Amino acid sequence: MSSIPVPEDILINILLRLPFKSISLCRCVCKFWRTLLSNRNFVKTHYDLAVEKNYPNTILREYVNSKQLIYSLNMSASECEIKSIDKLCYPFESKGHVEILGSSNGLLCIRAGECHDESTICIWNPTTKEYKKVPRSPKNQFPSDLVPEIYRIAYGLWYDSKIDDFKLIKVVGFDGDSTRSGVQVYNLGLNSWSTHELIPYYVTCNTMRSGIIVHGSLHWLGKAGAKSFVQLCPDVIVSFDICDERFYELTFPAAVNNQDFSVGREIGVLDGCLCLILRHSSNGQVDLWVMREHGVKESWSILFTTHALHVDYPFMGNFLVYAFENGELLLANLFCFILYNLRHDRAKTVTIPGICGLCVPASYLTSLYSLNSRTYVGQDDRIIDLRIMGDG
């Protein structure tokens, strides 16, 4: 029992509104507080409150002297104002290269080193600095006539509320076969892989961008049953329903099928809706489509066409970094960032100190989720966190 003369429900209500650093200190107060603040329900509720506030940290990667660095940006929700920018130390940073394979509930899945090397894939909590290595996926889980192609792999990370655990999905392409892909699922709590199924889709291998989570589903660009590799320009969005664990496809807007978008296709999230960003190969014009009702083809609507961007700022990137409450969008370009005002159809370049536009964004919210690995980034961090972290 607590010796503090405050009802437990009121105490929890107060503690839930504290930032991570304050909670870490509170865990050192006494055993009761450590148990209370490490309780799974407390951790989940604390994260849900962070979601309501909607102040995500944006992750950007940058090359400096042949080494890749990760920066965390905290921006004002109302307008393009950077409140803070911090360099993050990540697991296996000495490898010099890092890719973000997925993001969910404050956790990131990253791979350090070579793009085909699974030995340094790990799930990492940037808030607590804790990480857990993911074991290599088995190579014998598919029929013997299907040979996995190490350069054709897509990933996605999600939180499964039914089992209160995280899963990493891996979509594998096969050598010489463009008509289907294999699916493997890693369960964080069980620390094991399982084979899910074979799906009749070629999923675009873009390790720069992980699966996009919208309305409880993961999404990738793909192609349904392509007969040859020369026909692999994506024309569908492959969706994986997290609750039902099944795949289905979302079609592109009808108007898109008859136009030339042979380069520059990306998906993202805008105001909680799935969005599709397309760049015309003929003139560099960029269109942004939004699916207002998830899964309904007729609900696609075009939000803007960036004629001005092509004229004044050659648009070589398709990545949506952030959508602000005032109707402005921050877009990643080749050598800079572009701030586009939807209401006034105006654009201007934006400089983020030390970072060019040649990067792919990800985001995360502050999270107390524990990986129960007892491994942390940095020796000093490990000593401190082992003392203050509970069992989670």
Side-chain angles (χ1 to χ4, degrees), residues 290-303:
V290 178
M291 179 175 270
R292 297 297 184 184
E293 187 175 349
H294 191 261
V296 179
K297 179 179 180 179
E298 292 73 20
S299 70
W300 281 113
S301 62
I302 191 166
L303 191 61

Side-chain angles (χ1 to χ4, degrees), residues 103-132:
S103 173
S104 178
N105 286 47
L107 302 186
L108 297 175
C109 180
I110 68 170
R111 173 173 54 201
E114 298 297 326
C115 64
H116 60 273
D117 183 9
E118 289 192 353
S119 65
T120 52
I121 292 180
C122 66
I123 297 176
W124 167 46
N125 187 330
T127 302
T128 65
K129 300 183 176 64
E130 186 181 18
Y131 70 92
K132 180 176 182 177

Side-chain angles (χ1 to χ4, degrees), residues 242-298:
I242 294 172
C243 292
D244 296 337
E245 292 198 8
R246 66 183 181 89
F247 283 86
Y248 58 97
E249 69 180 61
L250 305 177
T251 56
F252 279 18
V256 171
N257 295 331
N258 298 321
Q259 298 186 35
D260 181 14
F261 294 98
S262 62
V263 295
R265 304 180 181 211
E266 266 300 333
I267 54 175
V269 184
L270 182 61
D271 295 331
C273 298
L274 183 69
C275 68
L276 176 66
I277 308 174
L278 303 169
R279 178 160 58 90
H280 295 251
S281 59
S282 57
N283 61 8
Q285 172 185 309
V286 175
D287 296 340
L288 188 147
W289 292 79
V290 178
M291 179 175 270
R292 297 297 184 184
E293 187 175 349
H294 191 261
V296 179
K297 179 179 180 179
E298 292 73 20

